[in-house]
Amino acid sequence: MAVELRRKTRQNITAKNLTMIQAINDGMKTMLELDDTTLVLGEDVGKNGGVFRATEGLYEEFGEDRVVDTPLSESGIIGTSVGLAVNGFKPIAEIQFMGFIYPAYNQIMTHVSRIRMKTRGHFSVPMVIRAPYGAGIRAPEVHSDSTEALFTHMPGLKVVCPSSPYNAKGLLISAIEDPDPVLFLEPMRNYRATREEVPAQKYTVEIGKGRKLHEGEEVSIIAWGAMIPVAEEAREQAEQKGISCDLIDLQTLYPLDREMISESVKKTGRAVIVHEAQATGGLGETIVSTINDTSFLYLRAPIERVTGFDVPVPFFALEDYFLPTAKRVLKSIEKAFNF
Amino acid sequence: MAVELRRKTRQNITAKNLTMIQAINDGMKTMLELDDTTLVLGEDVGKNGGVFRATEGLYEEFGEDRVVDTPLSESGIIGTSVGLAVNGFKPIAEIQFMGFIYPAYNQIMTHVSRIRMKTRGHFSVPMVIRAPYGAGIRAPEVHSDSTEALFTHMPGLKVVCPSSPYNAKGLLISAIEDPDPVLFLEPMRNYRATREEVPAQKYTVEIGKGRKLHEGEEVSIIAWGAMIPVAEEAREQAEQKGISCDLIDLQTLYPLDREMISESVKKTGRAVIVHEAQATGGLGETIVSTINDTSFLYLRAPIERVTGFDVPVPFFALEDYFLPTAKRVLKSIEKAFNF
Amino acid sequence: MEANYPIKTIIDDQGDFIDDLYKDQIDEQLVENMYYHMYRIRTFDKKAISLQRQGRIGTYPPFGGQEAAQVGSALALGENDWIFPTYRDHGATLTYGADMTSMFLYWNGRVEGCIPPEGKNIFPAAVPIATQIPHAVGASWAEKRKGTDRIAVAYFGDGATSEGDFHEGLNFASVFKTPTVFFNQNNGYAISVPIEKQMNSETIAQKAVAYGMRSVRIDGNDCFAVYFETKKAVDLARAGKGPTLIEAVTWRTGAHTTADDPTKYRPADKGKDIVEPLSRLEQFMKKNGFWKEGKISEMQAQLKEEVDAAVDAMENYPEANVEDLFDHVFAELPEELVKQKETYLELLEEY
Amino acid sequence: MEANYPIKTIIDDQGDFIDDLYKDQIDEQLVENMYYHMYRIRTFDKKAISLQRQGRIGTYPPFGGQEAAQVGSALALGENDWIFPTYRDHGATLTYGADMTSMFLYWNGRVEGCIPPEGKNIFPAAVPIATQIPHAVGASWAEKRKGTDRIAVAYFGDGATSEGDFHEGLNFASVFKTPTVFFNQNNGYAISVPIEKQMNSETIAQKAVAYGMRSVRIDGNDCFAVYFETKKAVDLARAGKGPTLIEAVTWRTGAHTTADDPTKYRPADKGKDIVEPLSRLEQFMKKNGFWKEGKISEMQAQLKEEVDAAVDAMENYPEANVEDLFDHVFAELPEELVKQKETYLELLEEY
Ligand SMILES: Cc1ncc(C[n+]2csc(CCOP(=O)(O)OP(=O)(O)O)c2C)c(N)n1
Ligand SMILES: Cc1ncc(C[n+]2csc(CCOP(=O)(O)OP(=O)(O)O)c2C)c(N)n1
Ligand SMILES: [Mg+2]
Ligand SMILES: [Mg+2]
C-alpha cells in the first residue's frame, strides 16, 4: 500500500533537479520500490545513509532488511552477494571507496566474473558493485584510486561509469536490470558538482554505448566520469583556438563502444584520450589499441593520452599535479592537431 | 663451515645443464647461501619442496627457519613479508599459482607497491613474489591465469618473466638483489620444456632489458615467457616463407624496454605482439601504446596482437583453443607483412 | 581447549556402539543407504585415480578416507538445500544427487561438470580455497529472506580455515544468523602442511568462539556421528537457530592429488592406526546383523557397473566445442567478442 | 563468554582504586607522565579538529575518548619496538615519539607525515583497514629471527576484526609464536556500525581462542589498566612467550572523522555514562595527592605552546614539491618515469 502510494507520487513528478549523488540515490530508490529482489548492502549504508549520503533515506524507507549494514569486510560483502545473487536476489553492494575494493578482488576475479561461464548460465550472479572513485577531493591515501583497468581486464564483468546526474540514474538502473554483474564506478568529484533534470520515473541508459557530448571535425576527445568536465573545458578552449573537437563520454568502460570511437577517429584522424589512472596499463591503452585495430589508416597523428603519471595516486597535497588538467588536455589537442 | 664447503663446490663447477625449474631452484639456493637475510616462504615450500619442486632440497639444506611452510593464507604471506622486508629480511614468497595471488592483491596494491613512495624511502620492502603462471598444463580452473597486466598497472612494483633456464636464474637473482619489490612470473609450460647451460655461480640478468632472440628486417615479434617458443616457431615458419623477423623476449614486463621495442619497430615498420592473457586490458595494449608513442611514423601496418580471447581462461578441455598458436602468430605476421 | 571439544563418536573403530543415543534410529534402511553411498563414492574415487594414471582424465584429488564425512553429511541434508563443495567433495555431491558422468567430465577439464541436475542446488566446486564459504552464507541468507526453511552447507578443509574468507564468511553468518552449516573436514593436512603448522589452536571447532557460534567436533570417520550431528545442525539452522561449525576429524588416506607424493612429507607410520570409514562400517554391520552378503555383493557389482557406465558416458561425450569458449561469458555476447569468435572460427576453418 | 573475559580495571570511574595490585608502581613519575601525554595528545586532537574546521588541514579522525588506551599502551613499549598504527592512533605514535609537526603534515595531505624520526620504528598509519596487522607480525618475526627481544604492536579497531587480514595476521603470529601485541581499541563503532552489528561475539578478546592465543580484556579508559596489561603482554612477547590479543574497551567521544555526523546513527544518550579518561585520571590524581595545581597548569600551558608551534611549523613547511610525485616510487627512477617527469616539469615551466 505504502509502496503503491509512493509509486503514484513518482509518476506525477516528471523530473527533479538533482545532483549526481541524488540521482544515484533516486536510482536505487526507484529499483527498491519496483523490484522486491533488490537489496542494498555495504558498510554504513544503513542509518548513516552512506559516507557520501548515496543511500540517504533508504534505510528509513525500506527497512534494515533491504538496506543492510554489513560488517567491515569487503570480501564478505561480495562473497555473500554471490550467494544472494545465485539464489534470486539482486544485491547492490557498496564498496565505500574504490581503493577498498582490493580485499574483494579474489571474489570478483574468480567467482563474480566466472560463474556464468563455468555453468553455462545455469548459475549467474546479476549484481551491482557500486564504488566511488578518483582523486580531487582531498581524501586520505588509497581513497583516491581510479583502477578501472583492473576490472576491464576481467571478462564476465561489465564496467560502467557515469558523468552526470541523468546518465548516472539511467545507467544505474540498467546495471541493476542487467543479467550480468556490473561494476558501477562513481566519480566522487562529480557527486555534487552540477545539477540536472532527472526523470522521477524509471528509465534506462544503455550499457555499452558512449554518448557524443559535442560534434567536431578535427580531433576526437575520449573521456569518461570525472574527466568529462576537464575534457569539456579543454574542448571549449580548443574551439576558441579554432580547433573543433568531437567529445565522447564513454559511459561504459567494458564493453567499449568501439563503433563510436572508430567512427569518430575515422572522421577526425586524431585522438586525445583523457583519464586519471596511471598511463601504463590504463584504459587509455585499450582505446589506443582499439583505434589501431579499427582506424589505423585514418590516423593523421599519433594518438595522445593525457593521464595520471606512472606513480601511485599521491597524498592530496600533490593530487592536483597528478590529475589531468584542461591545460594538459589542450596541449595534447594542439599537439595532435599540429602534427 | 658447511656453507663454505658448498660454496667452493659451486665455484668448481662452471655450468650445469638445467631445466628452468632447476635453474630457479639453483637461483634461490645461490642466494640463500650468499645472503643470510634471504628466506623462502609459502605454502608447501618446505618438506614438500613446492608443488612444482621449485624449492626441492632447500628445506633440507637451509632448515625450516629459512625455508618456511606457512599457513594457507596468501594475504598473510605477503602481509608478513612486508613486515619482514621492512625489518631487514629479503623474503622470497611463493604464491602457489598466479591464480591464487588475488587474496593478496590488497596487500600488494596498497602496501608492497606504495611503502617506499609513502615514506620517501625511509621504509622499503625489497621482496620477491614468485608465481607460476599460464595455461597449457591441463590444470584445474583458475590455476592457469596469466594476469600480469594487473601488476604492470601498479607503480612501485617491478614485474619480471623469464623464458629459459639461463635468464630465469639470472633474473631471479637480480630480483632478489633489487631494492624494490619484484613479481617474478614463472611460465609453468617452460618449467621442464628445455635444458640450458646455467652457471653454477651467482650471475645476474638485468631487470628492465629485453633480449633479441633473432635479428630480422620485416616484422618485429614481441613476446615473453611461455609465448617465446610459440613465437619462435612462427618466426621460423615466416622465415621459410621469406619474411625475416626480429624476435624480442621482453624479460621484464615493468618497466618495459621501450628502447628495444621502438628501435625494432623503427627498423621493421611492423609489429606482432604475442601474449596469452586476454586482449582487452592485456600488456599487448601497453606495447601498442608504446609503439604509438615512440614509432608511429615508422609504422607500415596496424600493429597485430595475438592473444587469449576476451573470455576467462577456460577449463582445460578448451585451453588449447584459448592459447595463441604458432599458426595464429604466423597468420598475423603475414597479415602485417602483406598489409 | 581440546577438552572443551570432545570428539563425538557413535560407533568406534571396531564397529561397536559407544554411544547408544541414536541406536533406535540406526535402522536397516539408514545403514544400507550409508553403505551404498560410501561404497559408491569409493568406487568412483578408485576409478578416477586409475583413469588419471592412464591419462584418461586430468589431475584428480582423491577423497579416500573421507567417505563417512562426505556421505554422512550429505545424507543429512534436505532435497532443496544448497551445497557448496570444494574440489575434494565429489563424494558429498554425488551422494546429494550430482551426476556421475558430470563428475568425471569435470576432472577431464569440462565445464559441463559444473552444471548440476535441474533442481539440485549444487554449486560448482570451489578451487580458490575458502571462497565458497561466503557464498553459502549468501545463499542461505537468501533462503531466510524468502522465508523458506532451506539451508546451505559449505564444505572446506582444515587448511581453508587460515584464509580470510573463512573468517569473513563465519562472521557474516553469525551476525545475520543465516541458516548455514559450515562442514569442515579436518583431514590433518593441507597438501603437505600438517595441522600443527597450519594453526596453533588444538581444534577447529574452537574457532567458532570468535563468532559466538555453535560448534561441534565429531569423529569424521564414523558415518553415524557425522550424520546425526549434521542433522542436528541442519535442523537448528532450519528452525532459525543460526549457523553451526562442524569439525569432522578425518584422514586423507591417499595423496593430495594424483600429482602429489605424500611420502615426501607424511611420516610413514602416521595415520596407520586410523581405521578407514568403510571397514569400520563393515565391522559394525557384521556385528549388528546388517551385513547381508548376497545383497551386498549384488549392490557392489551394480555400483561398479554404474561407475563403468559413467566412464563410458564421459568418454563418449560430445567433444568440447570451441564456440563454448565464447558463448557463456555474458548473457549476451558483446560485439567485440562476437568479432573475436567469428574471426577465430574462420581461422579454424582454414586449417 | 563475557564472563570468561572480565574487564580488568585498576581505577574506577570515580578515580578510586579498585585493584590494589599495582598500587606501589603507580608513583608520581608514572602518573605525571601519563597525565602529561594524555593532556598533550588531547591538545593536539582538539587543535587538529579546529584546524580542519578552518580548512587548514584535511579530513581528520579524532581520537578523543581513547587517550588512555593510546597513551597507556604506547608508554608500555620499549624504545626500539615497532608500532603499526591506524589513522586514529596518532595519540599513540605521538606518545611513542612521532614528531608532532609530521602528524599535522600527514593530515594536510603530505607524505612527509609518514616518515618517523630516525631510530623510531613507527610505521605509516594504515588506511586500508586491518592491513597493518600482518605487517606487525612480520616485523616482530624479523626481530625474533634476529634474536633480539624487540616486539611489535599493531593497533586496530573493533571493525577491523571483521577483515580477513585480522584473522590471517593472528593466525600467523600464533603459529610462528611471534613477539606481537595486538592492541584492539574497541570504541563501540566502526563509523556508524555498532559492535552488535559488526560481530556476534560478546567480546573481542574471545577471538583469540581461534588462534590458541592469550588474550585479555581491559578497561580502555583506565590508563593504568592499559599500561600494566600492555606491559605484561609486551614482557611475555619479549620473553618468547608469544603474542597476546588485548581488547581495550573504550569510547569514541567525537565523530568518526570531521566529515562524519554521529547524531545520524548514535543514540544521544549512548555513552553518556562513560567517564572520559582524562577526567577519570584527574579525579584519581586529586584523590591520591598527585594533583599539583601550579605544576599542572604550567605543563598545560607549555603543551599548548608545543602544539601551536607544531601548527606553525606545519604551516610554514616548504610547499609540496611536484618532483616528489615521481622521485620515491622506485629506488631508481625507470626511464619512462624520467621522461614523464621531465616532460611534465617542462610543461609546468611553460605555464
Ligand atoms: C587461494 C588458494 N591458495 C592455494 C591453493 C592451492 N591449494 C589447493 S588445495 C590446497 C590445500 C587445501 O587444504 P585443505 O583446506 O586442508 O583441504 P584438503 O585439500 O585437505 O581437502 C592448496 C594450498 C588454492 N587452491 N587456493
Ligand atoms: C579495507 C577498508 N574498508 C573500508 C574502509 C573505510 N573505513 C575507514 S575507517 C572505517 C571504520 C573502522 O572502524 P574500526 O576498525 O572500529 O576503527 P575506528 O575507526 O573505530 O577507530 C571504515 C569502514 C577502509 N579504510 N578500509
Ligand atoms: Mg586438509
Ligand atoms: Mg571502532
Side-chain angles (χ1 to χ4, degrees):
Chain A
M1 193 57 217
V3 172
E4 274 312 301
L5 257 174
R6 262 197 315 273
R7 224 174 279 169
K8 255 195 215 122
T9 324
R10 290 214 141 216
Q11 275 155 5
N12 288 340
I13 307 171
T14 48
K16 305 187 252 188
N17 207 29
L18 300 183
T19 61
M20 177 188 278
I21 190 95
Q22 290 169 331
I24 288 168
N25 179 282
D26 199 49
M28 284 189 272
K29 192 167 155 176
T30 305
M31 294 309 287
L32 283 164
E33 279 179 6
L34 297 177
D35 180 352
D36 280 348
T37 67
T38 55
L39 74 154
V40 167
L41 76 171
E43 296 156 12
D44 307 289
V45 298
K47 262 196 198 150
N48 199 38
V51 294
F52 285 106
R53 306 288 173 251
T55 55
E56 179 98 46
L58 301 182
Y59 177 89
E60 289 72 17
E61 190 163 347
F62 300 98
E64 64 172 349
D65 201 46
R66 308 257 332 260
V67 183
V68 186
D69 275 327
T70 67
L72 210 177
S73 166
E74 288 77 13
S75 191
I77 293 168
I78 303 302
T80 52
S81 291
V82 166
L84 286 162
V86 141
N87 198 0
F89 286 88
K90 286 203 179 168
I92 306 169
E94 176 175 308
I95 297 292
Q96 207 159 74
F97 288 84
M98 190 182 196
F100 305 136
I101 202 170
Y102 313 125
Y105 201 80
N106 190 36
Q107 283 288 346
I108 302 173
M109 177 53 120
T110 67
H111 290 289
V112 173
S113 65
R114 301 192 202 203
I115 286 171
R116 175 184 293 280
M117 175 279 298
K118 227 161 50 171
T119 62
R120 297 200 171 159
H122 180 92
F123 291 122
S124 62
V125 286
M127 64 164 85
V128 179
I129 305 173
R130 291 181 42 244
Y133 85 92
I137 64 156
R138 289 167 60 88
E141 64 150 345
V142 185
H143 287 73
S144 309
D145 282 14
S146 173
T147 43
E148 59 279 356
L150 303 176
F151 298 89
T152 54
H153 188 45
M154 194 191 274
L157 182 77
K158 295 180 182 174
V159 183
V160 166
C161 183
S163 59
S164 79
Y166 180 88
N167 73 357
K169 179 174 172 182
L171 285 165
L172 180 57
I173 292 176
S174 291
I176 295 169
E177 294 196 318
D178 201 278
D180 284 305
V182 178
L183 176 64
F184 191 81
L185 296 174
E186 302 171 3
M188 286 180 246
R189 274 219 282 181
N190 303 22
Y191 266 162
R192 294 181 173 83
T194 51
R195 290 179 176 273
E196 210 173 26
E197 292 288 289
V198 173
Q201 297 88 332
K202 179 185 150 185
Y203 67 94
T204 58
V205 169
E206 194 181 343
I207 291 177
K209 298 282 174 228
R211 58 172 181 164
K212 196 66 85 59
L213 292 177
H214 197 268
E215 286 284 345
E217 301 304 322
E218 318 284 9
V219 178
S220 302
I221 311 174
I222 301 161
W224 63 89
M227 287 299 108
I228 291 297
V230 175
E232 172 59 21
E233 193 187 331
R235 189 201 63 72
E236 282 165 23
Q237 289 169 7
E239 185 155 350
Q240 276 160 21
K241 297 196 169 193
I243 312 173
S244 134
C245 300
D246 251 19
L247 175 54
I248 294 174
D249 176 359
L250 282 179
Q251 298 191 116
T252 293
L253 310 186
Y254 189 92
L256 276 184
D257 190 341
R258 297 164 59 92
E259 202 172 299
M260 185 177 279
I261 295 170
S262 66
E263 287 306 310
S264 175
V265 175
K266 281 178 185 161
K267 174 177 67 180
T268 62
R270 305 175 189 90
V272 174
I273 302 159
V274 188
H275 65 65
E276 66 176 279
Q278 293 80 2
T280 300
L283 192 69
E285 297 180 343
T286 304
I287 300 166
V288 168
S289 303
T290 301
I291 296 171
N292 171 77
D293 294 351
T294 59
S295 351
F296 176 77
L297 283 181
Y298 298 81
L299 281 177
R300 305 180 196 192
I303 301 158
E304 292 289 316
R305 285 178 295 149
V306 186
T307 69
F309 302 106
D310 281 351
V311 305
V313 183
F315 279 39
F316 71 70
L318 285 173
E319 69 180 349
D320 289 344
Y321 289 103
F322 175 81
L323 284 170
T325 55
K327 272 187 187 152
R328 280 174 63 201
V329 178
L330 180 63
K331 176 113 187 163
S332 286
I333 293 172
E334 291 176 316
K335 194 169 160 202
F337 183 72
N338 297 322
F339 185 78
Chain B
M1 193 57 216
V3 172
E4 273 313 300
L5 257 174
R6 262 196 319 272
R7 223 174 282 170
K8 256 197 213 116
T9 325
R10 289 216 141 216
Q11 275 155 4
N12 288 340
I13 307 171
T14 48
K16 307 186 253 190
N17 207 27
L18 301 183
T19 61
M20 177 187 279
I21 189 95
Q22 289 169 332
I24 288 168
N25 179 281
D26 199 48
M28 283 189 272
K29 192 167 155 175
T30 305
M31 294 309 287
L32 282 164
E33 279 179 6
L34 297 178
D35 180 351
D36 279 348
T37 66
T38 54
L39 74 154
V40 167
L41 75 170
E43 296 156 13
D44 307 291
V45 299
K47 261 195 199 153
N48 199 37
V51 294
F52 285 105
R53 305 289 172 252
T55 55
E56 179 98 46
L58 302 182
Y59 177 90
E60 289 72 16
E61 190 164 348
F62 299 98
E64 65 172 348
D65 201 45
R66 308 246 347 251
V67 183
V68 186
D69 274 327
T70 66
L72 210 178
S73 166
E74 289 75 14
S75 191
I77 292 169
I78 302 303
T80 53
S81 291
V82 165
L84 287 162
V86 142
N87 198 0
F89 286 87
K90 285 202 177 167
I92 306 168
E94 176 175 308
I95 297 292
Q96 207 159 75
F97 288 83
M98 191 182 196
F100 305 136
I101 202 170
Y102 313 124
Y105 201 79
N106 190 36
Q107 284 288 347
I108 302 172
M109 176 53 118
T110 66
H111 290 289
V112 173
S113 66
R114 301 193 201 201
I115 285 170
R116 175 184 292 281
M117 174 280 297
K118 227 160 48 169
T119 61
R120 296 200 171 157
H122 180 91
F123 291 122
S124 62
V125 286
M127 64 164 87
V128 179
I129 305 173
R130 292 181 42 244
Y133 84 91
I137 65 155
R138 289 167 60 89
E141 64 149 346
V142 185
H143 287 72
S144 308
D145 282 14
S146 174
T147 43
E148 60 279 355
L150 303 177
F151 298 90
T152 54
H153 189 44
M154 194 192 274
L157 183 76
K158 296 180 181 172
V159 183
V160 166
C161 183
S163 60
S164 80
Y166 180 88
N167 74 356
K169 179 175 172 181
L171 284 165
L172 180 57
I173 292 176
S174 291
I176 295 170
E177 294 196 319
D178 201 278
D180 284 305
V182 179
L183 176 64
F184 190 81
L185 296 175
E186 302 171 3
M188 286 181 246
R189 272 220 282 182
N190 303 22
Y191 265 161
R192 295 182 172 84
T194 51
R195 289 179 175 273
E196 209 174 27
E197 292 289 289
V198 173
Q201 297 88 332
K202 179 185 150 185
Y203 67 94
T204 57
V205 170
E206 193 180 344
I207 291 176
K209 297 282 174 228
R211 59 172 181 165
K212 195 68 85 59
L213 292 177
H214 196 269
E215 285 285 345
E217 300 305 322
E218 318 285 7
V219 178
S220 303
I221 312 174
I222 302 161
W224 63 90
M227 288 298 108
I228 291 298
V230 175
E232 172 59 21
E233 194 187 330
R235 190 202 62 73
E236 281 165 23
Q237 289 168 6
E239 185 156 349
Q240 277 160 22
K241 297 195 169 194
I243 312 173
S244 133
C245 300
D246 252 19
L247 175 54
I248 294 175
D249 176 359
L250 282 179
Q251 297 191 116
T252 294
L253 310 187
Y254 189 91
L256 277 184
D257 189 342
R258 296 163 59 92
E259 202 171 299
M260 184 176 279
I261 296 169
S262 65
E263 286 307 309
S264 175
V265 175
K266 281 178 184 158
K267 175 177 67 179
T268 62
R270 304 176 191 90
V272 174
I273 302 159
V274 188
H275 66 65
E276 66 177 279
Q278 292 81 1
T280 300
L283 192 69
E285 297 180 343
T286 305
I287 301 166
V288 168
S289 302
T290 300
I291 296 170
N292 171 78
D293 294 352
T294 59
S295 351
F296 176 77
L297 284 181
Y298 298 82
L299 282 177
R300 305 179 197 194
I303 302 158
E304 292 289 316
R305 286 177 295 150
V306 185
T307 70
F309 302 105
D310 282 350
V311 306
V313 183
F315 278 40
F316 71 71
L318 286 173
E319 70 181 348
D320 290 343
Y321 289 102
F322 175 81
L323 284 171
T325 56
K327 272 188 187 152
R328 280 174 63 202
V329 178
L330 180 62
K331 176 113 188 164
S332 286
I333 293 172
E334 292 177 314
K335 193 169 160 201
F337 183 73
N338 296 322
F339 185 78
Chain C
M1 260 302 149
E2 227 172 324
N4 292 345
Y5 296 94
I7 294 188
K8 298 207 182 179
T9 306
I10 294 177
I11 58 167
D12 68 11
D13 277 352
Q14 282 70 50
D16 295 318
F17 270 108
I18 63 165
D19 181 345
D20 285 354
L21 191 62
Y22 297 100
K23 206 163 183 172
D24 293 349
Q25 293 173 60
I26 301 180
D27 57 14
E28 185 160 342
Q29 202 194 334
L30 178 66
V31 174
E32 273 186 13
N33 206 15
M34 210 63 96
Y35 187 83
Y36 171 84
H37 282 291
M38 283 169 66
Y39 193 86
R40 179 170 179 259
I41 67 169
R42 161 110 12 132
T43 312
F44 170 89
D45 198 49
K46 281 187 175 162
K47 177 61 81 179
I49 296 170
S50 100
L51 289 177
Q52 191 283 330
R53 292 227 176 93
Q54 298 162 41
R56 290 157 71 190
I57 62 171
T59 306
Y60 173 79
F63 48 72
Q66 303 179 208
E67 291 88 349
Q70 298 201 11
V71 169
S73 56
L75 289 181
L77 303 177
E79 232 191 320
N80 298 308
D81 291 333
W82 285 81
I83 180 168
F84 291 81
T86 76
Y87 49 86
R88 202 187 297 291
D89 300 310
H90 292 297
T93 54
L94 279 170
T95 305
Y96 193 60
D99 174 61
M100 196 179 283
T101 304
S102 294
M103 295 301 94
F104 281 125
L105 285 168
Y106 180 87
W107 291 111
N108 213 10
R110 301 290 296 266
V111 283
E112 290 87 340
C114 288
I115 307 167
E118 206 52 56
K120 277 284 159 203
N121 298 321
I122 304 173
F123 212 65
V127 164
I129 301 291
T131 50
Q132 75 282 15
I133 297 175
H135 302 167
V137 177
S140 57
W141 193 8
E143 294 297 346
K144 182 180 171 179
R145 299 174 71 89
K146 293 179 192 169
T148 75
D149 69 350
R150 299 179 187 173
I151 66 103
V153 57
Y155 285 85
F156 54 99
D158 40 295
T161 67
S162 296
E163 290 279 8
D165 271 0
F166 163 79
H167 175 69
E168 301 192 22
L170 267 72
N171 190 46
F172 266 66
S174 72
V175 166
F176 296 110
K177 301 224 177 331
T178 59
T180 327
V181 176
F182 299 100
F183 191 84
N184 174 263
Q185 287 168 80
N186 175 359
N187 65 6
Y189 279 85
I191 308 188
S192 72
V193 179
I195 189 155
E196 316 86 65
K197 287 191 168 190
Q198 190 69 241
M199 63 193 76
N200 189 48
S201 62
E202 290 171 89
T203 71
I204 285 169
Q206 78 198 61
K207 299 192 185 204
V209 172
Y211 316 101
M213 189 187 290
R214 178 175 178 272
S215 71
V216 58
R217 191 164 199 236
I218 58 178
D219 183 338
N221 292 342
D222 170 0
C223 58
F224 300 112
V226 174
Y227 176 74
F228 288 107
E229 285 300 332
T230 307
K231 215 164 169 39
K232 193 190 280 179
V234 166
D235 289 344
L236 287 168
R238 270 198 222 302
K241 302 274 170 60
T244 299
L245 170 61
I246 299 177
E247 175 185 0
V249 181
T250 179
W251 183 254
R252 188 190 82 203
T253 52
H256 169 70
T257 67
T258 47
D260 173 57
D261 172 11
T263 65
K264 290 211 63 166
Y265 54 80
R266 209 157 66 172
D269 55 344
K270 211 172 156 182
K272 273 268 148 34
D273 53 330
I274 294 168
V275 179
E276 60 81 16
L278 257 157
S279 54
R280 193 201 287 207
L281 179 58
E282 197 174 313
Q283 286 190 65
F284 166 82
M285 287 168 75
K286 285 180 176 159
K287 285 182 180 177
N288 290 276
F290 292 111
W291 190 264
K292 314 255 161 81
E293 195 64 51
K295 201 171 169 187
I296 285 192
S297 48
E298 200 176 306
M299 177 204 287
Q300 292 178 339
Q302 178 217 318
L303 288 173
K304 279 187 183 120
E305 270 171 40
E306 184 194 355
V307 170
D308 288 340
V311 174
D312 258 15
M314 181 264 290
E315 296 199 318
N316 292 304
Y317 204 77
E319 262 199 36
N321 185 340
V322 64
E323 301 197 20
D324 285 331
L325 201 55
F326 301 94
D327 287 349
H328 312 284
V329 181
F330 291 100
E332 208 182 309
L333 223 55
E335 258 173 70
E336 167 61 9
L337 256 185
V338 173
K339 228 192 63 201
Q340 290 186 10
K341 178 181 167 184
E342 282 172 1
T343 316
Y344 189 41
L345 291 180
E346 274 168 32
L347 190 79
L348 289 177
E349 288 278 295
E350 270 179 43
Y351 294 165
Chain D
M1 257 303 149
E2 229 172 322
N4 292 345
Y5 296 94
I7 295 188
K8 299 208 181 180
T9 306
I10 294 179
I11 57 166
D12 69 10
D13 277 352
Q14 282 70 49
D16 295 319
F17 270 109
I18 64 165
D19 181 344
D20 285 354
L21 191 60
Y22 297 100
K23 207 164 183 171
D24 293 350
Q25 293 174 60
I26 301 180
D27 58 14
E28 186 160 341
Q29 202 193 332
L30 179 64
V31 175
E32 271 185 17
N33 205 17
M34 210 62 96
Y35 188 82
Y36 171 84
H37 282 291
M38 282 168 66
Y39 194 87
R40 180 169 178 260
I41 68 168
R42 161 105 20 125
T43 312
F44 169 89
D45 198 49
K46 281 187 174 161
K47 177 61 81 180
I49 296 170
S50 101
L51 289 176
Q52 191 283 329
R53 292 227 176 93
Q54 297 162 41
R56 290 158 71 190
I57 62 171
T59 306
Y60 173 79
F63 48 73
Q66 302 180 208
E67 292 88 349
Q70 299 202 9
V71 169
S73 55
L75 288 181
L77 303 177
E79 232 192 320
N80 299 308
D81 291 333
W82 285 80
I83 179 168
F84 291 80
T86 76
Y87 49 86
R88 202 187 298 291
D89 299 310
H90 293 296
T93 54
L94 280 170
T95 303
Y96 193 59
D99 175 60
M100 196 180 282
T101 303
S102 294
M103 296 301 94
F104 281 125
L105 284 168
Y106 180 86
W107 290 111
N108 212 10
R110 299 291 296 265
V111 282
E112 291 87 340
C114 287
I115 307 167
E118 206 51 57
K120 277 284 161 204
N121 298 321
I122 304 173
F123 211 65
V127 164
I129 300 293
T131 50
Q132 76 281 15
I133 297 175
H135 302 167
V137 177
S140 57
W141 192 8
E143 293 298 343
K144 182 180 170 177
R145 299 174 72 88
K146 292 178 191 170
T148 75
D149 69 350
R150 298 180 188 173
I151 65 104
V153 57
Y155 284 86
F156 55 99
D158 40 295
T161 68
S162 296
E163 289 280 8
D165 271 0
F166 162 80
H167 175 69
E168 300 192 21
L170 268 73
N171 190 47
F172 266 67
S174 72
V175 166
F176 296 110
K177 299 222 181 330
T178 59
T180 326
V181 175
F182 299 100
F183 191 84
N184 174 262
Q185 287 167 82
N186 175 358
N187 65 4
Y189 280 85
I191 308 187
S192 73
V193 179
I195 189 156
E196 316 85 65
K197 286 189 167 191
Q198 190 68 241
M199 63 194 74
N200 190 48
S201 62
E202 289 171 87
T203 71
I204 284 169
Q206 78 198 60
K207 299 191 184 204
V209 172
Y211 316 102
M213 189 186 292
R214 178 177 178 272
S215 71
V216 58
R217 191 165 199 235
I218 58 180
D219 184 337
N221 291 342
D222 169 359
C223 58
F224 300 112
V226 174
Y227 175 75
F228 288 108
E229 285 299 332
T230 307
K231 215 163 168 40
K232 192 189 282 178
V234 166
D235 289 344
L236 286 167
R238 269 199 222 300
K241 302 272 169 61
T244 299
L245 169 62
I246 300 177
E247 175 185 1
V249 182
T250 178
W251 184 254
R252 188 190 82 203
T253 52
H256 169 71
T257 67
T258 47
D260 172 58
D261 173 11
T263 65
K264 290 212 64 165
Y265 54 79
R266 211 159 63 173
D269 55 343
K270 211 172 157 183
K272 272 270 148 27
D273 52 331
I274 294 168
V275 179
E276 62 81 15
L278 257 157
S279 55
R280 192 199 289 206
L281 179 58
E282 196 176 314
Q283 287 190 65
F284 166 81
M285 287 168 74
K286 285 179 176 158
K287 286 183 180 177
N288 291 277
F290 292 111
W291 190 264
K292 315 254 160 85
E293 195 64 50
K295 201 169 171 190
I296 287 195
S297 48
E298 201 176 305
M299 177 204 286
Q300 292 178 340
Q302 178 217 318
L303 288 173
K304 278 184 186 125
E305 270 171 40
E306 183 194 356
V307 170
D308 288 341
V311 173
D312 257 15
M314 181 264 288
E315 297 201 317
N316 292 305
Y317 204 78
E319 263 199 34
N321 185 341
V322 62
E323 302 198 18
D324 285 330
L325 201 55
F326 301 94
D327 286 350
H328 311 286
V329 180
F330 291 101
E332 207 182 311
L333 223 56
E335 258 172 72
E336 167 62 7
L337 256 185
V338 173
K339 229 193 61 200
Q340 291 186 9
K341 178 181 167 184
E342 283 172 1
T343 315
Y344 189 40
L345 292 180
E346 273 168 34
L347 190 79
L348 289 178
E349 288 278 296
E350 271 180 44
Y351 294 165

